[in-house]
Amino acid sequence: MLETYLKERRKGKDILLMTHIVAGYPDWDACSDMVAAMVDAGVDLMELQIPFSEPIADGPVILKANQEALERGVTVARCLEFGREMARRHDIPFLYMTYYNILLRRGVAAFVHEMADAGIRGAIVPDLPPEEGEEYLSAMAENGCDPIFIFSPTTSDERLRYLSSVASGFVYCVARKGVTGMDTRFSDELGAYLGRCRRATDLPLALGFGVKDKTDVDFLTGKADIAVIGTQTLRLVEEQGVAAVGDFIRGLR
Amino acid sequence: MNKKGYFADFGGAFLPEILVATFDELTAAYESAKADPAFWQEYENLMSSYSCRPTPLTLAENLTRHFGGARIYVKREDLNHTGAHKANNVMGQGLLVKRMGKKRVIAETGAGQHGVATATMAARFGFDCTIYMGEVDVERQRPNVFWMEQLGAEVVPVKDGTRILKDAINEAFRDWVSNMDNTHYVLGTACGPHPFPEMVAWFQSIIGREARAQVLEREGKLPRRIYACVGGGSNAMGIFGGFMDDPVELVGVEAGGRGLDTGAHASRLCSDDAAIGVAQGYKTYFLQNAEGQMQETHSIAAGLDYVGVSPILSHLREEGRARFTAATDREVVAAMRLTIRKEGLIPALESAHAFVQAFKDAPDMSPEDCLIINQSGRGDKDIFTVADAFEDPGWREFIIRKAEQYQT
Ligand SMILES: Cc1ncc(COP(=O)(O)O)c(C=O)c1O
């Protein structure tokens, strides 16, 4: 399971890195190259986002990537093939990130079975709170995949413990209110929030939303187990192309 | 957070974690208001002094004679302040916002009626106000954009996705996840995560309560059928709510657009193009493709041009408690013209959908029976669209002349 992998890996590194791409954006070749460059630069695990037409938790950059991918004809079927190919080719864990309707339409059990069969280790579904996720949770458990749940600064201590009781693999802590891609203040307040998360669970903690450079990653070292780089790599690729990805990741820690 | 807000298998609350606490707070405020008879009294007082409640039930004698069947009554939600039933929900939520102590309201709007109602409520109660509106709708409902801005609201045109109502809802949610501490999202229809469908239907139930009492007083018996247009479903739930336990047929009319077989429509409950899904925080029938991506919709009426529909109506459909049909753009324009000429009533393009189906059914019904059409709003806002549909030469010349004046 992911938890064991992450805890082992943490023994050798002060902080782990998780990166994110939107499958099919800007195109399939660029995606393959990005994943290869990220793995080569030492990324510890990756999220592959399957585009959805209503990505309600995402800010402008990822929203636009979702829309452009769909406009260019990216299908869920093709994303799943891509996931299978990446998991076969690279020796790090991959997760799917997508919205619940994508699972529901394919059949939740069928989707989960297919992802497990492809070697994908877990999923992040931001619009599926555990209360609505009975079928998902049992399918994930049956197939040995980790359902990654989200902690937020507005979550009460009681609910953090509840979420921890259904989560496995690790927990994704969102750094602040708002959607992806906005600035985050890496402040004492964020440190205190991570402390609250730490007390609520023994699972590794990932922190995402607004992590963009080495300063941010340094701030998180010692407070979280995994730093999540999302929007920033997309911005980089849009401004400087795929070739800039490797150096950027290597410069983060 | 509990698993609440289900109507059989429809509804729920598919929330990103950051909003769970906000919805818990809203649900608590709604439940305490609902349990407090003084709240409903305050609401009715407000609606009778600031808006025109109770709205009249008008017997459409000329239309009745024209069709020669059931007696046709029209419930006049167009006479609400701001010109549509939207005010019922907005003023109710406004009172809740006061109770919650928030200072800013945001809303999505399609036809602009919900946006105008929200901007009006914000002006009256002293709240800051931001309205999200798809770029396509900003163009086709320009008079309402003007009034929202005069009322002090900021109108943000939404350029993402299909640039209509659903995209405006997404943007409003994106605002809310950043600003929930001081902001309430006044959702405009009986959709979205719990408690919105139930809460909006509760505020709108004032329509059905009045209509039932009014028709009994006038006719001494219940109507055979009730007709309402269905966008998200709030005016339909509002009037249906008064007759739920009665032997009355409930008829919801969706946007048939260019025809159900063209794909260019917004019929979720009476076409084969929709399937059960989850988006915008709730589970219902959505117009979506085989992989779960939402489809583009079309209607001449911006307020009906939406991919999803109230989970409560999806449930009524599954149970067979309500019947759903569609009216095409062309039929809608003809029904609107007839209603204007025969009765001196100007229904909104949205409302005119309900008139279409009532006109189809009325001749086959007995003159002993009556039916009620919910005129959810007035058509003034549609002047540009309707003038084009009627191909009115005088209006066209006027606009050209006016444009020339602005250019010099
Ligand atoms: C006049 C009028 N009627 C109907 C609707 C559709 O909404 P609902 O189905 O929630 O009543 C709208 C929405 O904008 C409207 O403005």
Side-chain angles (χ1 to χ4, degrees), chain B residues 84-86 111 113 189 229-235 303-304 348 350-351 376-377:
Chain B
H85 71 294
K86 297 289 178 189
Q113 289 303 108
T189 190
C229 67
V230 181
S234 68
N235 86 89
L304 306 188
E350 288 78 12
S351 320
S376 55

Side-chain angles (χ1 to χ4, degrees), chain B residues 18 35 97 99 103 108 175 181 198 202 256 260 369 371 373 405:
Chain B
I18 192 82
V97 175
R99 283 194 162 203
K103 297 280 179 259
E108 85 294 348
D175 180 321
D181 290 345
E198 188 187 314
W202 182 57
L260 292 190
D369 288 330
L371 61 82
I373 303 170
Q405 279 170 19

Side-chain angles (χ1 to χ4, degrees), chain B residues 29 35 40 91 123 138 161 182 210 214 224 265 268 300 344 361 391:
Chain B
W40 189 264
M91 297 314 293
V138 166
N182 69 347
E210 287 174 11
Q214 288 165 324
R224 281 295 283 261
H265 62 78
R268 298 112 331 161
I300 191 171
D361 295 351
E391 296 176 356

Side-chain angles (χ1 to χ4, degrees), chain A residues 28-213:
Chain A
W28 289 112
D29 285 343
C31 282
S32 295
D33 293 349
M34 259 158 37
V35 173
M38 286 168 174
V39 173
D40 190 52
V43 153
D44 302 283
L45 72 167
M46 275 198 72
E47 291 177 71
L48 307 176
Q49 179 164 0
I50 302 175
F52 179 47
S53 56
E54 321 301 317
I56 215 159
D58 284 302
V61 175
I62 296 180
L63 166 64
K64 180 173 143 281
N66 273 261
Q67 280 175 2
E68 287 191 12
L70 291 174
E71 275 161 27
R72 285 188 204 154
V74 167
T75 61
V76 175
R78 181 72 183 81
C79 292
L80 298 179
E81 266 174 50
F82 179 76
R84 183 180 293 273
E85 179 59 26
M86 291 304 106
R88 191 184 59 74
R89 208 185 285 174
H90 301 288
D91 191 24
I92 62 163
F94 288 89
L95 313 172
Y96 284 140
M97 182 275 177
T98 194
Y99 291 83
Y100 184 47
N101 203 46
I102 299 298
L103 281 71
L104 194 63
R105 224 21 201 144
R106 214 171 174 83
V108 174
F111 183 99
V112 172
H113 180 77
E114 203 171 335
M115 74 177 248
D117 184 63
I120 303 294
R121 306 282 293 277
I124 304 174
V125 189
D127 64 344
L128 188 66
E131 289 89 342
E132 300 283 3
E134 246 169 80
E135 190 186 1
Y136 166 73
L137 283 170
S138 62
M140 293 293 274
E142 270 166 38
N143 288 279
C145 292
D146 290 310
I148 309 304
F149 282 102
I150 293 174
F151 283 180
S152 87
T154 60
T155 310
S156 67
D157 287 343
E158 186 192 348
R159 189 169 167 81
L160 292 181
R161 283 191 297 275
Y162 163 68
L163 292 169
S164 168
S165 74
V166 287
S168 68
F170 64 95
V171 170
Y172 189 126
C173 308
V174 300
R176 52 159 171 75
K177 293 165 189 161
V179 288
T180 55
M182 304 187 314
D183 281 346
T184 295
R185 280 186 50 225
F186 288 82
S187 59
D188 291 351
E189 202 180 327
L190 181 61
Y193 157 60
L194 279 170
R196 210 157 66 78
C197 297
R198 181 70 291 157
R199 286 189 292 279
T201 186
D202 293 330
L203 290 168
L205 296 180
L207 185 115
F209 278 35
V211 182
K212 60 184 181 317
D213 55 25

Side-chain angles (χ1 to χ4, degrees), chain B residues 62 64 320 391:
Chain B
N62 300 327
T64 301
E391 296 176 356

